[in-house]
């Protein structure tokens, strides 16, 4: 019997590609961000077609594991995986065996038994995504861990700014409100400064972490500091993360009076963003939230294509010709 050899049979087996995760904006270079945003742009064009589903991740499995409430992040990761033809499973801690005391490690090991390619995790504890990356073989995406990081939120915010205001480099973004408890603020400060924006944090002294200027931003306790910003990024007052009995502000009424983003404090054409969910009438006036300069629903739409890009990029190990994939629609 003759054994047929082809050239690659004579080569040593290739090392498996390194497993990649997205746990922090600190994992990314400027080139990575630019590539992800360009990929998201290609996916946005693909969604203009009548047939929106692409075959790109057919046969891949994405597990969404949510230990905290979510509307935007959870729904957009699920839809992103479905639009790319992956099998997707969403597990929420409430109603799962977490209610019976199962640990994060055992929950992760249990779901890892299905060999998921990607685990997307939201958890109230800082470091939970790193733990999951250590105990499973999946690529891990941080969908928010405590007040640490929410990297895909920052990426979708960069995408929204680029598409609706202009190149991020050189823009001035004011981030207003409860920075202390905000993973969105930490991710956005890193992402915006990485891409060359000027960032000013504005809020009550007790809600601005001491020493945060070391991240490359400016700080002001005067709401007038938003006046020169191209974009005013409003943060939610995160009452669920505030220590019981701690007085960060005298009262919510006082907070709104001094730091609320109201029509009188915004000039026409100044763009307003908010990651959601909003406390209308607390950190943002409903008139501002519903104005033509508010990009809040645009951010949600960007979340879908940016999360498609993140899943795609992790699983294809880098830049791939999205345009050619778009051509192969699922029939
Ligand atoms: N912005 C954000 O993370 O929203 P959800 O909590 O609804 O996912």
């Amino acid at each position: 019997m003759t054994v047929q050899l082809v050239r690659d049979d004579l080569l040593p087996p290739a090392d498996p590609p390194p497993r990649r995760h997205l746990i922090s904006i600190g994992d990314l270079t400027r080139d990575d961000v630019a590539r992800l945003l360009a990929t998201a742009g290609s996916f946005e064009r693909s969604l203009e077609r009548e047939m929106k589903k692409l075959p790109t991740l057919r046969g891949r499995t994405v597990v969404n594991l949510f230990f905290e409430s979510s509307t935007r992040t959870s729904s957009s990761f699920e839809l992103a995986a479905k639009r790319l033809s992956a099998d997707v499973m969403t597990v929420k801690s409430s109603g799962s065996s977490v209610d019976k005391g199962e640990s994060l490690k055992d929950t992760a090991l249990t779901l890892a038994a299905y060999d998921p390619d990607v685990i997307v995790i939201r958890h109230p504890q800082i470091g939970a995504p790193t733990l999951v990356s250590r105990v499973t073989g999946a690529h891990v995406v941080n969908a928010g861990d405590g007040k640490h990081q929410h990297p895909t939120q920052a990426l979708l915010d960069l995408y929204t700014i680029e598409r609706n205001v202009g190149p991020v480099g050189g823009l001035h973004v004011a981030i207003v409100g409860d920075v202390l408890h905000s993973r969105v603020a930490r991710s956005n400060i890193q992402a915006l400064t990485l891409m060359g924006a000027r960032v000013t944090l504005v809020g009550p002294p007790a809600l601005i972490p001491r020493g945060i200027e070391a991240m490359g931003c400016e700080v002001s306790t005067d709401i007038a500091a938003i006046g020169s910003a191209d974009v005013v990024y409003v943060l939610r007052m995160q009452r669920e993360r505030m220590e019981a009995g701690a007085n960060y502000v005298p009262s919510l009424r006082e907070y709104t009076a001094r730091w609320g983003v109201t029509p009188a404090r915004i000039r026409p054409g100044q763009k307003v963003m908010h990651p959601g969910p909003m406390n209308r009438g607390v950190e943002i006036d409903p008139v501002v939230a519903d104005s033509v300069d508010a990009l809040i629903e645009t951010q949600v739409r960007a979340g879908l294509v940016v999360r498609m890009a993140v899943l795609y990029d992790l699983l294809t190990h880098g830049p791939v010709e999205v345009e050619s994939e778009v051509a192969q629609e699922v029939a």
Side-chain angles (χ1 to χ4, degrees):
M1 188 178 79
T2 322
V3 177
Q4 299 278 329
L5 283 177
V6 292
R7 197 171 61 92
D8 284 357
D9 291 333
L10 302 174
L11 296 174
D15 289 335
R19 209 156 40 100
R20 299 189 307 151
H21 309 292
L22 179 55
I23 290 182
S24 163
I25 287 292
D27 296 337
L28 301 174
T29 63
R30 278 175 69 102
D31 285 350
D32 290 328
V33 172
R35 184 182 72 245
L36 285 163
L37 301 190
T39 306
S42 299
F43 283 132
E44 183 163 5
R45 289 192 290 283
S46 81
L47 295 184
E48 286 162 9
R49 295 156 173 248
E50 199 180 340
M51 178 56 71
K52 300 189 185 329
K53 206 167 169 107
L54 300 170
T56 319
L57 299 185
R58 189 184 273 156
R60 304 289 200 150
T61 303
V62 176
V63 170
N64 292 328
L65 184 52
F66 277 73
F67 285 78
E68 259 187 2
S69 308
S70 169
T71 298
R72 282 145 284 263
T73 314
S74 161
S75 60
S76 60
F77 265 115
E78 182 166 332
L79 188 55
K82 286 178 172 165
R83 286 276 159 85
L84 293 170
S85 301
D87 294 322
V88 58
M89 191 163 47
T90 296
V91 178
K92 304 206 182 226
S93 58
S94 173
S96 76
S97 289
V98 172
D99 290 342
K100 301 176 197 161
E102 189 160 59
S103 69
L104 171 61
K105 180 178 172 184
D106 285 333
T107 302
L109 288 171
T110 300
L111 295 169
Y114 304 127
D115 292 330
D117 297 283
V118 180
I119 296 179
V120 176
I121 175 165
R122 168 169 291 190
H123 199 282
Q125 298 297 320
I126 294 172
T130 306
L131 185 147
V132 173
S133 74
R134 290 198 182 124
V135 300
T136 73
H139 302 269
V140 174
V141 181
N142 182 359
D145 62 331
K147 60 183 183 182
H148 175 223
Q149 280 279 318
H150 192 354
T152 58
Q153 177 71 45
L155 289 170
L156 76 86
D157 291 332
L158 291 181
Y159 184 85
T160 303
I161 293 171
E162 277 207 358
R163 299 270 147 166
N164 295 277
V165 186
V168 173
L171 290 181
H172 181 199
V173 180
I175 300 179
V176 186
D178 180 2
V179 178
L180 183 67
H181 301 99
S182 177
R183 55 197 176 208
V184 172
R186 282 171 187 74
S187 300
N188 261 308
I189 296 165
Q190 272 187 306
L192 288 162
T193 54
L194 178 69
M195 302 313 280
R198 174 183 162 204
V199 177
T200 304
L201 308 179
V202 184
L207 291 177
I208 307 274
R210 222 169 273 167
I212 199 159
E213 294 92 334
M215 292 183 76
C217 51
E218 300 156 29
V219 168
S220 174
T221 54
D222 183 354
I223 190 67
I226 70 174
S228 64
D230 301 291
V231 177
V232 176
Y233 194 103
V234 190
L235 297 172
R236 182 169 69 87
M237 287 292 275
Q238 299 202 33
R239 280 171 275 188
E240 77 279 14
R241 292 194 211 284
M242 293 183 183
E243 277 170 42
N247 288 321
Y248 296 99
V249 287
S251 68
L252 283 184
R253 187 188 289 258
E254 172 83 1
Y255 176 85
T256 305
R258 291 193 59 187
W259 291 282
V261 176
T262 59
R265 289 172 172 157
I266 293 291
R267 59 184 155 72
Q270 198 174 26
K271 297 298 178 193
V272 177
M273 297 172 68
H274 192 302
M278 288 184 278
N279 296 307
R280 283 173 180 258
V282 179
E283 71 266 2
I284 188 166
D285 188 288
V287 173
V288 174
D290 297 331
S291 75
V292 290
D293 288 321
L295 297 175
I296 298 160
E297 283 152 37
T298 311
Q299 288 171 266
V300 176
R301 270 192 294 280
L304 172 60
V305 291
V306 165
R307 288 172 175 132
M308 287 171 78
V310 166
L311 295 175
Y312 180 76
D313 198 80
L314 285 177
L315 289 173
T316 54
H317 304 285
V320 177
E321 293 299 320
V322 181
E323 296 294 357
S324 61
E325 297 283 353
V326 169
Q328 318 165 32
E329 289 178 24
V330 171

